[in-house]
Amino acid sequence: MRRSTSRRPWLAEGPWAWLAAGGVALSLLMVIALLVLLAGRGLAHFWPQDIEAVTLEDGAQFAGQVVREQGLPGEVDGRERLYRTGNRDLQGAQWRWVDVADIDTRATPEDLVIVERRRWGPFIGRVVALEGPETRWTVEDGDTLWQQLDERLNRVSQLRSERDVVRTQYLEPLAERLANGEKVADDEDELQALKARIVNLQEAMQRDRVVLESLEGQQLTLTLDALIDVTRPNAMSLPAKLSSWGHNVWRFLSEGPRDANTAGGIWPAIFGTIMMVLLMSVLVMPFGVLAAIYLNEIAPQGRLTRLVRIGVRNLAGVPSIVYGVFGLGVFVYGIGGTLDSLFFADELPSPTFGTGGLLWASLTLALLTLPVVIVATEEGLARIPDAQREGALALGATRSEALRRVVLPMAVPAMLTGLILAVARAAGEVAPLMLVGVTKLASQVPVDGTFPFIHLERKFMHLGYHIFDAGFHGGDVESAMPLVYATALLLVLVILVLNLTAIFLRHTIRTRHRVRTH
Amino acid sequence: MIDRYPPPAPVRRRFRDLRDRLFTLLVGACGIGVILAVLAIGVFLFVEVVPLFGGDTPASETQATTEIDFESLWLPQQYPDYETPRYRWQANVLSEDDTPMFSLTPLAWGTLKAAAYALLFAIPLALGAAIHSACFMSRRLRHRLKPALELMEALPGVVIGFVAGLVLAPYVERHLVGALALVLILPLGLLVAGVVHSCLPATLARALSLSRAGLWLIPWLALLVALAMVMSPYLEVVWFGGDMRAWLEQQLGLDYAMRNAMIVGLAMGFAIIPTIYALAEEALSGVPDSLSEGAQALGASRWQTLWNVILPAASPGIFSAVMIGAGRAVGETMIVLMATGNTALMTLSPLDGMRSMAANIAIELPEAAAGGTHYRVLLLCAFLLFVFTFCVNTLAEIVRGRLSHRYRRLGGLA
Amino acid sequence: MSIRCRTALLLWILLIWPVVGTMAQAPEGPVVGNLDSIGSDTMAGLMLRWGERLEERHPAVRLQMQASGSSTAPAALAEGTTRLGAMSRRMTTSERETFEAHHGYPPVEIPVAMDALAVFVNRHNPLDEVSMKQLDAIFSDTHDCGAKRSIDRWEALGTPDFAGPIDRHSRNSVSGSYGVFRREALCGGNFRVDVNEHPGSSAVVAAVAATTGGIGYSGIGYVTVAVKPLALRKGDGPAVSPSERATLSGEYPLSRTLYLYVNLPPGERLPATEHAFLDLVLSPEGQDGVRESGFIPLPDMVIAAIRQAMGLNRPWGEGSS
């Protein structure tokens, strides 16, 4: 290969140099491809996509959104297309694979709607009429129908939030108070009044009805409280679509999952992840830092310490599932079971701490990330020039004073780096959590207004586990997939931001110390 | 209250000393406690596993116990229903007369096979990347690029596993020919890039220099990959008569499982590239400059210097990088769980699936009643994983320690 | 304040203000507490849908659901990490014994829905039916149902223009579907080693949907349009598709009942949250959730009988159960 030309030799650095360069390029390409895939699929899901009215060769009609297209097996040119057709209650399935060759015409009429419902997934078809208590609007009324529908949907959502307020702010605290035995004379009347009010609100929500018709000709009448949203993507302008996209993203981040985790949002999972990571940080930081100080500043620097250091360092490489096994065996079955039989014996057989929960998950992950924090902190401590310590001691400080006033403040960035790396690792770890306390659904976040506010014994949802669960355990893979992509994107973003912060911090301390020592 | 009359110096001194000693004691106790707690993992697993081999320990409660010893775990066993002794893992028990089969050999096999394929994929890429960035890349670019590759390490296994299992595996199955062709196309493409590069006019060649090849090769490789995928069905018709799976089966006797060792190797390789890269790069760039400068002064090219001087000097570091990568691959749970079919097979074929110990624990531990044989066998798996990774990492750590010692000696005080 | 005390007072309140109104709409007496459940993956969607409905009725109930497989339920019930277990098969005798050894009494078994374990192939596969014996020959390597030899290729099933090796997909051993399939379709024999074991039903469906030569099984609720359920033939009888009628009558060979198991000491009452949950499950609204999840509701008569036996017709707390 090394033939000289008049200008420069071919492959001047030899073939291997180019292959080595390919290593960098290919690794980066894979990272980029992964991120683009997640971002593309995850974010595209929230875009209000056009609904097609498809007529097949045999004259049959249906409406749906194109999901994807792929080659038919065994044929080079044949393609098949997946449509999301909704209407699971009417058709029995909400997806449809169509051979592209069978399609006669495709159109996007403006009156097609996609209706998000509380039950049975979306409806795709036409709105025939809107029925109020007195009036009835039909398609002939044109825009009036859509305006009325919007207004009435808003009314229902207002009523719903009012009902939720009554429930969560009045009814539940009252029930809780009564349950705790703080009885006041007129509580009984109040309870009845609240209940009546909720019944009224619910009836008001069911006042209006909408008549829908699928393209196959089946009609369906729904009360407005069964609806979440009605959109006409084909009639939307670009800005309207953009704002709808933003709205959908927001709902994904702020709502709980619906429809057996195949729709809705991931708020409980976001919150659960954050809670667990925070709790883990609180647990891991003091212990990690103390252990690092001990190893670096106090322990005699002999062979034993060196061995311990290697041991601790190696624990960072022990598979996370092993920590999960430890957590299950020691924390849940061992300590949790004992706690239950000592302090919560009344509750048994309902477990309190004898089952996976926030506390045990955080503890397990704290143990898992302890080596990370110890190593990072130790690195920071070792970087501090001995002159600093000696100076402090020479001025008459005791060892503890020198440590607290001089050494530790200088090591703070290193500790932060350790913490952030620990958090990034914990946020992405799933295997041990599967054994010690994550759930596929924990509808309410483990923090609320009742004492002791943070409920350590409760289970929680987790972004990483949600990915696994929705992708492999979920009900309908097709509907869950976009949400899985979006969740994965969010998780990756969170972890990337955390890691970037750690890298930035590490960079700053390195430059700072370089300046100081020179 | 303001202390107008401070106690005489000796008392204060003693008070401070006491506080100091207390503080030291506290930190010491905490530190030792934490370290003990961390090391307790090994002890816990060991203690839980011991009853398995205790022989005469009575079964806790009414759990079905099966005789477990070294032989039944690792050697082929004669199970009812089968004519020949074999390795089987089948913990599920339907009724009383059903015997669970606890053979760890297929699980260990699967674990090592997954790790081996991951290393097969990761080592060339990671070492190539490390060599390139340590020896060819400009310093500034390296400082930018290293964090980018480090970020790769932070990508959670569950995301990689999900993409590998639900996206990549079906895709590769549909574009099998193209995907396999990439093994040839990509290296060839790189060499072509090198040849083309030497024919470029000088200004362009400087802009697209080798030291920046890590960046400008990306679109070129992306183009090659896309081409291979588009061409895949046509290649399949031309080379394999339209059905590569049938061809594989007839010609090579290989059965293609959708979630196979190849996919796992790719996914887990992806996950361990950054680990190997970071450590190998550290080892390579840690080689004292005096060595490479000397070689280059004697007229060696950059590649010759690298091959004859730097690589031998850094080889222990590279070895330890690979070891640590292997340790990570052995213990990775989610990727194997999601990207394989979890079939406890004992084949070498890259087109078959496997079941790893870590994934097996994640799947079966929740169903195993605490204290039962199944539970303890799973804990034994965890213990083996613990011991294995601990040993591998310790070995790597010791080698690394030696290496930095050697560099210090070689490089003098520089 | 201990939760027992709270429960006692709640009981007292409910005694004084009996729940009024119909089951479907009226808000009942507030139920507060955690509801844990561990168990079947097949029933995961079902449990979630019931959970969503329960939340609408009782917003203060905190649901915590885990679902990785039926076999996790007996272990968790015995260890006491949950009081409510969902199972897509019946407990085995040894699981029952383990439970009794821990607690001293048997668990309470409540049928909640019907399911047909559907055997399906890729949508491009022309095959429409398969006999139970063939299923055994496809999935098993012990052939306890009497098959002479394994079936490895589609041609062997009588599809001349659809050739190729069979890709077998199954749940993992934690699953109740795995147990039922092993018992009913493999006659208690063993699965082949090269059967892919997936962590969830939807993963099985996804795998078969993505592989042209795939075959797999799962609860009927997970079947999508990407796969095609097969009609099953038992002995010389006709091929039966997994329809609602055939499942309820038991004609479909792999029909099964889905259960909830409750840890309930004899003579004690169900805790309020569990009571509310079971009340919902065994109501028209709950059975509508069964249909929404794609499973088959229990006949009304059966529901009525179970409600009677469980004491669910009385408001919670009235008398002892």
Side-chain angles (χ1 to χ4, degrees), chain A residues 24-239:
Chain A
V24 175
L26 198 59
S27 309
L28 287 177
L29 178 65
M30 288 193 301
V31 181
I32 295 168
L34 181 69
L35 293 181
V36 167
L37 176 80
L38 292 182
R41 294 278 183 90
L43 294 178
H45 166 65
F46 302 109
W47 187 255
Q49 206 194 345
D50 280 351
I51 305 171
E52 284 184 5
V54 181
T55 316
L56 299 177
E57 291 282 345
D58 60 3
Q61 258 203 335
F62 71 93
Q65 295 171 317
V66 180
V67 180
R68 64 166 180 273
E69 207 178 281
Q70 67 183 37
L72 279 169
E75 292 177 43
V76 175
D77 295 322
R79 311 283 292 168
E80 58 178 346
R81 198 177 289 151
L82 178 63
Y83 280 97
R84 182 189 198 207
T85 55
N87 310 359
R88 196 156 65 82
D89 43 346
L90 306 175
Q91 302 289 321
Q94 56 166 330
W95 307 95
R96 185 157 175 177
W97 280 99
V98 182
D99 192 336
V100 175
D102 287 344
I103 294 176
D104 188 26
T105 56
R106 298 159 66 185
T108 51
E110 291 207 340
D111 61 340
L112 285 182
V113 291
I114 177 161
V115 181
E116 256 190 89
R117 299 180 290 180
R118 294 197 176 268
R119 303 253 186 277
W120 294 98
F123 169 88
I124 294 180
R126 294 198 169 92
V127 173
V128 175
L130 175 67
E131 294 170 348
E134 290 103 32
T135 29
R136 182 184 154 98
W137 293 271
T138 58
V139 200
E140 279 82 59
D141 296 317
D143 281 345
T144 330
L145 170 73
W146 304 112
Q147 278 164 15
Q148 287 292 337
L149 189 60
D150 271 352
E151 266 170 39
R152 271 144 217 274
L153 277 174
N154 279 336
R155 175 178 162 272
V156 169
S157 77
Q158 271 166 15
L159 287 171
R160 178 173 290 118
S161 48
E162 197 181 331
R163 183 198 67 184
D164 290 347
V165 167
V166 171
R167 258 183 178 169
T168 53
Q169 303 201 344
Y170 300 101
L171 188 65
E172 278 172 38
L174 183 67
E176 198 94 357
R177 210 165 66 230
L178 287 168
N180 289 337
E182 301 152 23
K183 188 172 170 287
V184 189
D186 50 356
D187 270 358
E188 184 188 346
D189 299 337
E190 204 184 327
L191 193 72
Q192 294 300 348
L194 286 173
K195 280 184 187 170
R197 190 149 161 228
I198 288 179
V199 173
N200 280 342
L201 284 169
Q202 257 165 356
E203 276 166 7
M205 278 159 62
Q206 291 167 349
R207 189 191 68 184
D208 303 323
R209 291 182 304 169
V210 62
V211 183
L212 302 167
E213 190 184 53
S214 73
L215 247 64
E216 288 92 347
Q218 287 150 303
Q219 282 214 346
L220 187 70
T221 308
L222 292 171
T223 55
L224 285 194
D225 76 325
L227 270 48
I228 295 170
D229 206 4
V230 179
T231 41
R232 284 186 298 157
N234 298 358
M236 277 175 151
S237 62
L238 189 65

Side-chain angles (χ1 to χ4, degrees), chain A residues 336-353, chain C residues 2-4 83 268:
Chain A
T338 317
L339 276 182
D340 267 8
S341 57
L342 287 181
F343 301 108
F344 299 95
D346 302 350
E347 290 295 309
L348 290 172
S350 296
T352 311
F353 280 102
Chain C
S2 88
I3 305 182
R4 180 197 192 174
R83 281 197 79 161
E268 281 190 31

Side-chain angles (χ1 to χ4, degrees), chain A residues 7-11 13 15-31 34 37-38 70 76-77 287 290-291 293-295 298 308 310-315 317-319 321-323 325-326 328-330 333 367 370 396-401 403-404 428 430-431 434-435 464 467-468 471-472 481 484-485 488 491-492 495-496 499-500 503 506, chain B residues 16 19-20 23-24 27-28 30-32 34-35 38 40-41 44-45 121 125 128-129 132 136-137 145 147 149-152 154-156 158-159 162-163 166-167 174 186-187 190-191 194-195 197-201 205 210 213-214 216-218 221-222 234 237 259 270 273 302-303 331 333-334 337-338 358 361-362 365-366 370 375 379 382 386 389-390 393-394 397:
Chain A
R7 298 156 70 202
R8 269 166 294 140
W10 279 25
L11 294 170
E13 296 285 349
W16 293 105
W18 288 96
L19 293 181
V24 175
L26 198 59
S27 309
L28 287 177
L29 178 65
M30 288 193 301
V31 181
L34 181 69
L37 176 80
L38 292 182
Q70 67 183 37
V76 175
D77 295 322
F287 290 111
L290 279 179
I293 294 176
Y294 171 74
L295 275 182
I298 290 172
V308 167
I310 289 182
V312 166
R313 204 168 280 242
N314 287 348
L315 281 172
V318 168
I321 187 79
V322 174
Y323 287 92
V325 171
F326 181 76
L328 182 76
V330 171
Y333 288 161
L367 210 57
L370 205 52
T398 59
R399 182 152 60 169
S400 68
E401 283 161 353
L403 262 176
R404 274 184 302 146
V430 173
M434 286 165 67
L435 302 177
I467 295 172
F468 174 63
F472 286 77
M481 275 298 254
V484 179
Y485 276 116
L491 182 62
V492 167
I495 290 174
L496 288 192
N499 268 279
L500 281 177
I503 289 170
R506 194 175 52 192
Chain B
R16 278 176 61 194
R19 223 169 49 174
D20 183 46
F23 177 81
T24 312
V27 173
C30 271
I32 295 174
V34 166
I35 289 156
V38 169
I41 294 175
F44 159 75
L45 291 174
F121 175 71
L125 277 182
H132 183 74
F136 294 96
M137 224 179 242
L145 226 100
L149 280 171
E150 273 175 329
L151 283 184
M152 211 170 142
L155 286 174
V158 67
V159 172
F162 147 69
V163 171
L166 289 183
V167 186
R174 282 201 303 277
L186 288 182
L190 289 171
L191 294 182
V195 172
H197 179 261
S198 56
C199 302
L200 287 176
L210 181 58
W216 61 260
L217 278 175
I218 296 177
L221 291 181
Y234 303 99
V237 171
R259 298 188 180 160
F270 180 87
I273 282 176
R302 272 199 284 185
W303 183 261
T333 312
M334 292 316 282
L337 179 61
M338 296 163 92
I361 296 171
L365 194 57
Y375 178 80
L379 256 60
F386 177 83
T389 48
F390 202 87
N393 287 348
T394 308
E397 199 70 31

Side-chain angles (χ1 to χ4, degrees), chain A residues 70 72-73 80 88 93 95-97 119-120 167 171-172 175-176 178-181 183 188 192 195 198-199 202 206 258-261 332-333 346-347 349-351 354-355 434 438-444 448 457-459 468 471-477, chain C residues 1-4 6 9-10 12-13 17 25 27-30 32 34 36 38 41 44-45 48-49 52-53 55-57 59-68 79-83 105 123-124 199-203 206 212 222 224-226 263 291-292:
Chain A
Q70 67 183 37
L72 279 169
E80 58 178 346
R88 196 156 65 82
W95 307 95
R96 185 157 175 177
W97 280 99
R119 303 253 186 277
W120 294 98
R167 258 183 178 169
L171 188 65
E172 278 172 38
E176 198 94 357
L178 287 168
N180 289 337
K183 188 172 170 287
E188 184 188 346
Q192 294 300 348
K195 280 184 187 170
I198 288 179
V199 173
Q202 257 165 356
Q206 291 167 349
R258 263 189 304 118
D259 225 351
N261 288 3
V332 177
Y333 288 161
D346 302 350
E347 290 295 309
S350 296
T355 179
M434 286 165 67
V438 292
T439 48
K440 71 184 289 120
L441 180 78
S443 53
Q444 288 176 7
D448 61 24
E457 82 284 2
R458 282 197 204 154
K459 293 184 173 144
F468 174 63
F472 286 77
H473 287 305
D476 181 350
V477 205
Chain C
M1 126 172 281
S2 88
I3 305 182
R4 180 197 192 174
R6 192 187 295 172
L9 279 157
L10 198 68
W12 174 75
I13 293 156
W17 296 291
Q25 289 305 329
E28 295 164 27
V32 184
N34 289 355
D36 279 88
I38 295 183
D41 159 71
L48 288 178
R49 290 210 164 82
E52 284 162 22
R53 284 165 166 78
E55 287 226 296
E56 278 175 29
R57 275 193 190 181
V61 173
R62 290 174 289 269
L63 293 166
Q64 314 187 32
M65 294 190 175
Q66 273 176 308
S68 41
E79 284 303 315
T81 53
T82 184
R83 281 197 79 161
Y105 48 85
R123 61 187 177 283
H124 297 297
S201 299
S202 64
T212 330
Y222 286 85
T224 68
V225 287
N263 179 344
R291 204 174 280 285
E292 194 189 340

